[in-house]
């Protein structure tokens, strides 16, 4: 099997085993001549998050780790204050997509109904359907400065990242979000066709595992919403492999997030609150 980055070229004679979230497809590959070959597609399906029987959001996502998505989205959007506000999560397969039913505590569900937010998102779009402009940037407490992160540890995390992106290696079209320990060890990561969804899944995983010290590393640009999700969940440091948007920088300044872009081996661009970076 020949690989260039995440672009795989796999012969029909020896197809690899399918990974969760990947679907095989026969393609015609051109390299001077055309011949059939086995390739893999990342699955992308509509996923509805349904709170106490009421559909709240539909997003396009890779259909794995959906309980983590439900937990992480609920925390990152401020729907619940703690995981204890969620009593149960159940996946239900439909003909056209998947419904994830989340049973909320009564006080959390009442607060959700008050927000009257019913959005329909697409891959790479986090606010489609938001009813009011003021709902886009919601007020959050400024994060405390409780930790520092050595930039040398970022290099260590980046060195591990590619090999851990199994679905990305097989399909070539997923984003990843990883949690780095203060020494740069990747404690866990999640992949999805949507960068926001990958981050939601990771924030759910972080909550489930109880990780506190460390930083988020995402294989995409940093949008304002990714900064907002991190701040909502108490994440003080966010590394992005690509650039940050202007609103992401403004949001990071406002909420006290250390935002770093163009994270590469031996270099990075520190946009906000560099005092957390050694």
């Amino acid at each position: 099997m020949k690989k260039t980055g995440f672009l795989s070229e796999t012969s029909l004679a020896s197809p690899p085993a399918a990974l969760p979230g990947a679907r095989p497809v026969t393609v015609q590959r051109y390299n001077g001549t055309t011949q059939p070959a086995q390739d893999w597609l990342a699955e992308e399906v509509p996923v509805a998050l349904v709170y106490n029987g009421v559909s709240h959001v539909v997003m396009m996502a890779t259909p794995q780790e959906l309980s983590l998505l439900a937990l992480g989205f609920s925390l990152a959007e401020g729907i619940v204050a703690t995981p204890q506000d969620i009593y149960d999560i159940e996946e239900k397969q439909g003909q056209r997509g998947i419904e994830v039913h989340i049973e909320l505590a009564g006080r959390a569900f009442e607060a959700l109904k008050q927000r009257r937010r019913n959005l329909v998102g697409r891959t790479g779009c986090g606010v489609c359907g938001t009813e009011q402009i003021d709902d886009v940037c919601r007020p959050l407490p400024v994060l405390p400065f409780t930790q520092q992160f050595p930039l040398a540890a970022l290099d260590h995390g980046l060195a591990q990242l590619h090999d851990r992106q199994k679905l990305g290696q097989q399909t070539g079209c997923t984003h990843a979000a990883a949690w780095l320990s203060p020494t740069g060890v990747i404690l866990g990561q999640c992949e999805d066709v949507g960068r926001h969804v990958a981050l939601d899944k990771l924030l759910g995983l972080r909550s489930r595992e109880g990780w506190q010290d460390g930083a988020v590393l995402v294989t995409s640009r940093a949008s304002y919403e990714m900064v907002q999700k991190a701040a909502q969940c108490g994440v003080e440091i966010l590394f992005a492999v690509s650039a940050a948007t202007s609103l992401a920088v403004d949001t990071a300044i406002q909420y006290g997030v250390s935002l770093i872009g163009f994270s590469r081996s031996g270099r990075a661009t520190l946009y906000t609150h560099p005092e957390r970076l050694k």
Side-chain angles (χ1 to χ4, degrees):
M1 180 170 60
K2 177 182 176 182
K3 294 181 180 178
T4 304
F6 280 163
L7 302 180
S8 61
E9 295 184 6
T10 308
S11 69
L12 286 172
S14 57
L19 293 172
R23 190 182 75 191
V25 62
T26 299
V27 299
Q28 295 291 319
R29 240 184 253 290
Y30 175 75
N31 186 14
T33 60
T34 301
Q35 58 183 356
Q38 175 82 64
D39 207 348
W40 299 91
L41 303 176
E43 292 188 85
E44 183 182 29
V45 302
V47 176
L49 300 186
V50 182
Y51 292 93
N52 292 21
V54 178
S55 182
H56 175 67
V57 60
V58 179
M59 61 187 75
M60 304 307 295
T62 303
Q64 58 174 346
E65 300 174 323
L66 295 184
S67 62
L68 294 180
L69 169 60
L71 174 57
F73 180 88
S74 300
L75 290 167
E77 291 296 311
I79 294 170
V80 298
T82 70
Q84 287 69 40
D85 288 331
I86 297 177
Y87 294 156
D88 187 49
I89 298 175
E90 181 183 4
E91 297 178 26
K92 295 184 179 180
Q93 179 70 53
Q95 288 186 342
R96 297 185 178 181
I98 301 171
E99 290 186 348
V100 182
H101 288 258
I102 303 124
E103 183 182 351
L104 291 182
R107 63 184 181 278
F109 184 57
E110 287 301 316
L112 178 61
K113 288 195 294 184
Q114 286 295 110
R115 290 171 61 176
R116 298 181 63 188
R117 184 180 181 191
N118 185 19
L119 54 89
V120 179
R122 299 181 177 88
T123 301
C125 179
V127 296
C128 301
T130 300
E131 294 176 351
Q132 304 291 333
I133 289 177
D134 289 344
D135 293 336
V136 173
C137 296
R138 58 185 181 272
L140 295 174
V142 177
L143 292 174
F145 284 69
T146 67
Q147 59 178 293
Q148 289 188 315
F149 194 96
L151 286 172
L154 172 61
D155 286 354
H156 185 43
L158 288 167
Q160 305 163 59
L161 187 60
H162 180 273
D163 289 342
R164 293 179 62 101
Q165 291 177 253
K166 301 302 183 183
L167 186 59
Q169 290 181 43
Q170 190 167 73
T171 66
C173 71
T174 57
H175 291 289
W179 183 257
L180 301 181
S181 76
T183 59
V185 175
I186 293 181
L187 300 181
Q189 73 167 53
C190 296
E191 294 182 80
D192 200 276
V193 290
R195 56 195 173 90
H196 298 100
V197 181
L199 179 58
D200 283 332
K201 289 178 178 179
L202 176 71
L203 294 173
L205 177 62
R206 173 180 177 257
S207 174
R208 190 186 72 184
E209 297 298 324
W211 300 323
Q212 293 298 321
D213 292 343
V216 166
L217 171 61
V218 295
T219 62
S220 64
R221 72 181 186 274
S223 65
Y224 95 90
E225 192 190 18
M226 299 180 85
V227 174
Q228 186 168 259
K229 286 175 179 290
Q232 177 76 57
C233 293
V235 175
E236 297 181 36
I237 304 168
L238 174 61
F239 291 102
V241 168
S242 190
T245 67
S246 62
L247 188 53
V249 172
D250 293 344
T251 305
I253 292 171
Q254 178 183 352
Y255 296 151
V257 176
S258 295
L259 177 60
I260 303 93
F262 295 111
S263 300
R264 303 286 196 276
S265 179
R267 62 186 178 92
T269 299
L270 283 59
Y271 292 109
T272 63
H273 303 293
E275 55 268 36
R276 288 196 184 93
L277 286 304
K278 296 181 182 178

